[in-house]
Amino acid sequence: MAGNTASPVAAGETGQELSTGADWEYAPAPESRDIVTIRDEYGLFIGGEFTAPLSGEYFTTINPATEEPLARVAQAGKADVGRAVASARQAYEQTWGRMPGAERAKYLYRIARVIQERAREFAVLESLDNGKPIKESRDVDIPLAAAHFFYHAGWADKLAYAGFGPEPRPIGVAGQVIPWNFPLLMAAWKLAPALATGNTCVLKPAETTPLSALLLAEVIEEAGLPPGTVSIITGDGRTGRELVAHPGVDKIAFTGSTEVGKEIQRAIAGTGKKLTLELGGKAANIVFDDAPLDQAVEGIVNGIFFNQGHVCCAGSRLLAQESIAEPLLDRLKQRLETLRLGDPLDKNTDIGAINSREQLDKIRGLTAAGEAEGAERWSPPCPLPAKGYWFPPTVFSGVSQSHRIAREEIFGPVLSVLTFRTPDEAVAKANNTPYGLSAGVWTEKGSRILSMAQRLRAGVVWANTYNRFDPASPFGGYQESGFGREGGRAGLAAYLHG
Ligand code: NDP
C-alpha cells in the first residue's frame, strides 16, 4: 500500500485472487488548494464580526500532513469569553430568542445553501487543517454538515407539533465545545438544533482544527444572522474551561474525551446548567459466520479506518465468530494492502494524516502496549511520508479482553480482533466495556439482528453496515460514552425546556 501499486483483490469463496491484470501506478490526483484563501491571522467571531482578542494571544494551526503552518488564530481569554456570552445573551433577549420559528428557518436554510455553494472550499480547508482525505471531507463531512442545517431548518416552525407541548421554550445561551475529528460537522451538529429551537450559541472549536469553524463564521455573516446569535471563539482547553464556567451560559453541549466530559460535569454540578455529553467509545463490530464476508470486510474497513480511526463510534473491536475468524482476517489483510495512505488532498487517498503529534504519540503508546501485552501486530507494507504525522493501518490479533488495546479508546487506525463462539459470548464481550456508544452486527438473519440490537448496550447499533449518519437519526451513548442525543426529534429536546 501507499507505494502506488494496487495489489490484487480477494475474490469470493474460492480463495482465488482476482488479478487486476497488472500492478498499475496511480498518478497523483490532488485537489487544488487555490480555491481556499487562508488568512495569515484570524480574530474571534463575536457579535457578528471578527475582532482581535482582548487576551492579545494567538496560536498557530498547522497542516498535520506537512507540519506547515497555516494561520495564526486568536486565543480567547476570560474577557473574550465574557464578551461572546454577553453578545449571545443580548441576541437571545432582543432578536433570535423572540423570532418566530418560520423566520429562524430562513436563516438556517440560507446557511445550508451557502455551505453547499462553498462545499469545495470547505472540503479543501478541512483536509488541510485536519489531515483527513479529501474524498471523506468532500463526500461525508461537508454534505452532512449542510444536511444538518437543512434538516433542522425544517423543524424550526414545527416545534409546537413535535410533542414538546404547544409552546416549547428554548433554554437560552448554549456554550458548545467540539473536538478535532469532524470539525465542521460537529459545529453543525451543535449549532443547527440549538438555533432551530431559538437558542443563541457560543462555539469553541478544537485548538488543532479551528479553520473550518472560522469559515463557517463567514457563512453566518453572509447569511445575515442577527449579531451575537452565533459567536465562534477559538482557543485551547483553557477557553473551553472558561466557557463552561461562565455564569451567563444556560446549557453546555460537549463532544470530546470522557476525561474532559467528567471534568465538565463536576465543574457545573449544582449550577442548574443543562448538559449533554457525547464522549468516547470502544465499539464492537460483530461478524457472525453467516455474514457475507466480503461485505463485512468493507464494513470493518469503514468502521475503523474511516477518518484514520478518529471516530468516537469507530468499530475498534472486531468480534469474529471463531469458525470464520481466519478467512475473515485473511480477506481483511488483503483488502488493507490496497488502501492508499498519503497526501490528504489526493483524491485517491484512503488514509490521511493523524491530526496532531499528541494524538500520534497516544496511538504509538497504546499500540506498543498491545505488543508488550502479547497481541500479534500486523500492518501492510506501508511507507510513510517523511514529514507530518502518520500511522499505518494496524491490526492486532490474539487480543484478550484484559489488554489495554481492547479496553481503551485508541482513536487511531488500529483494530483489535477478538473471537467468540456463541451469540451470548458475543454480547458479553461486546458489552464488556465502560463505554456504550455504538456497535455493528453482521449476519443474514433478521431475527438475530433484532435480538442482538436489544441486548447490546450501545446508543447506535448498525446492522450489515457501519458508520452511517443521518440528521434524522438520534446519536448518543450510555455509561462513559455520555448522555443526551444529537439529531432527530430527540436532539431537539436537548435544547428545549421541559
Ligand atoms: P478533549 O476532550 O481534550 O477535547 C475536546 C474539546 O474540549 C476541545 O475543543 C478541547 O480544546 C476542549 N477542552 C479541553 N479541555 C477542556 C476543559 N477542561 N474544559 C472544557 N473544554 C475543554 O480531547 P482531545 O482533543 O485532547 O483528545 C484526547 C482524547 O480524547 C483522544 O485521544 C480521544 O481518545 C478522545 N477524543 C474523543 C472524541 C470523541 O468524539 N469521542 C473526540 C476527541 C477526542 P482543545 O482541543 O483546544 O484542547
Side-chain angles (χ1 to χ4, degrees):
M1 73 171 285
N4 290 347
T5 38
S7 303
V9 180
E13 306 292 330
T14 61
Q16 289 179 336
E17 297 200 333
L18 175 67
S19 171
T20 48
D23 283 350
W24 62 64
E25 297 283 323
Y26 276 81
E31 179 71 60
S32 163
R33 61 180 281 179
D34 293 349
I35 189 152
V36 176
T37 308
I38 301 179
R39 302 184 213 162
D40 293 340
E41 190 174 286
Y42 288 86
L44 304 167
F45 184 70
I46 297 179
E49 57 185 13
F50 281 93
T51 83
L54 297 175
S55 71
E57 283 180 51
Y58 288 83
F59 61 92
T60 300
T61 184
I62 65 162
N63 178 346
T66 59
E67 299 173 58
E68 153 212 14
L70 292 172
R72 267 160 51 85
V73 180
Q75 163 81 32
K78 188 172 180 157
D80 297 303
V81 172
R83 276 198 300 156
V85 173
S87 77
R89 175 65 54 196
Q90 196 177 10
Y92 179 68
E93 286 172 358
Q94 296 178 3
T95 52
W96 194 257
R98 294 162 163 249
M99 196 182 278
E103 289 301 308
R104 292 198 303 271
K106 290 181 195 167
Y107 290 98
L108 293 183
Y109 279 123
R110 234 177 263 164
I111 295 172
R113 277 192 222 106
V114 181
I115 292 175
Q116 283 186 324
E117 281 162 16
R118 299 177 72 173
R120 226 174 112 216
E121 197 180 342
F122 269 112
V124 172
L125 186 64
E126 198 76 310
S127 285
L128 283 171
D129 203 20
N130 172 280
K132 65 175 70 201
I134 185 78
K135 71 177 178 193
E136 291 181 6
S137 47
R138 183 196 62 198
D139 298 346
V140 181
D141 295 58
I142 313 307
L144 269 178
H148 267 266
F149 281 103
F150 274 122
Y151 174 80
H152 287 94
W155 269 121
D157 61 348
K158 300 172 193 72
L159 297 172
Y161 313 101
F164 301 113
E167 278 183 65
R169 283 183 306 122
I171 292 170
V173 174
Q176 306 178 313
V177 180
I178 57 171
W180 43 262
N181 52 344
F182 293 93
L184 182 74
L185 184 56
M186 286 303 107
W189 275 36
K190 295 282 177 279
L191 294 175
L195 295 175
T197 44
N199 301 273
T200 56
C201 303
V202 179
L203 177 91
K204 190 203 93 66
E207 179 188 6
T208 56
T209 53
L211 296 184
S212 58
L214 292 166
L215 184 56
L216 182 64
E218 284 180 25
V219 170
I220 285 166
E221 214 176 355
E222 197 180 330
L225 267 75
T229 305
V230 175
S231 289
I232 295 183
I233 52 170
T234 45
D236 59 19
R238 290 171 294 165
T239 309
R241 203 173 280 134
E242 292 292 351
L243 180 58
V244 166
H246 196 288
V249 173
D250 303 308
K251 188 222 154 85
I252 300 293
F254 172 77
T255 298
S257 63
T258 298
E259 191 191 344
V260 172
K262 286 180 179 173
E263 185 186 326
I264 290 176
Q265 201 171 9
R266 282 194 294 271
I268 67 167
T271 61
K273 289 179 191 173
K274 291 198 170 253
L275 177 65
T276 41
L277 294 176
E278 203 269 273
L279 309 175
K282 192 73 191 175
N285 203 359
I286 306 168
V287 183
F288 284 96
D289 57 6
D290 63 342
L293 292 195
D294 287 330
Q295 245 170 284
V297 164
E298 292 308 309
I300 295 163
V301 170
N302 179 36
I304 185 61
F305 300 111
F306 169 61
N307 202 30
Q308 294 74 246
H310 302 328
V311 185
C312 48
C313 51
S316 52
R317 286 183 299 154
L318 168 63
L319 299 191
Q321 194 151 17
E322 216 169 80
S323 49
I324 46 111
E326 224 172 277
L328 183 68
L329 206 55
D330 286 348
R331 287 187 201 195
L332 178 64
K333 287 178 176 175
Q334 280 179 337
R335 177 69 178 91
L336 293 182
E337 284 174 0
T338 70
L339 293 184
R340 307 174 61 77
L341 176 148
D343 179 5
L345 284 190
D346 192 319
K347 294 171 204 127
N348 292 323
T349 293
D350 299 302
I351 301 206
I354 301 301
N355 180 247
S356 64
R357 170 157 307 280
E358 207 183 342
Q359 189 59 29
L360 181 59
D361 290 344
K362 181 181 168 183
I363 299 168
R364 284 178 174 158
L366 274 164
T367 47
E371 263 181 301
E373 288 181 328
E376 194 181 314
R377 178 179 186 150
W378 179 89
S379 288
C382 182
L384 302 179
K387 279 212 103 179
Y389 314 134
W390 304 93
F391 199 85
T394 300
V395 176
F396 278 100
S397 49
V399 177
S400 84
Q401 295 195 78
S402 60
H403 290 164
R404 286 182 67 196
I405 52 169
R407 291 184 288 118
E408 295 179 32
E409 185 178 48
I410 302 173
F411 226 59
V414 182
L415 179 68
S416 299
V417 183
L418 298 96
T419 58
F420 67 92
R421 290 184 181 164
T422 63
D424 285 348
E425 191 185 347
V427 171
K429 284 187 168 165
N431 287 343
N432 184 14
T433 168
Y435 295 109
L437 191 55
S438 58
V441 179
W442 296 82
T443 171
E444 70 172 12
K445 289 195 184 68
S447 57
R448 182 177 277 164
I449 290 171
L450 295 174
S451 105
M452 290 296 289
Q454 224 159 22
R455 298 172 69 196
L456 290 168
R457 284 203 313 261
V460 180
V461 179
W462 285 290
N464 295 327
T465 186
Y466 208 92
N467 272 340
R468 294 272 172 179
F469 305 98
D470 189 288
S473 173
F475 184 89
Y478 294 101
Q479 308 189 105
E480 298 223 338
S481 293
F483 49 79
R485 295 291 177 264
E486 294 185 292
R489 183 188 160 278
L492 299 170
Y495 288 98
L496 291 169
H497 274 296

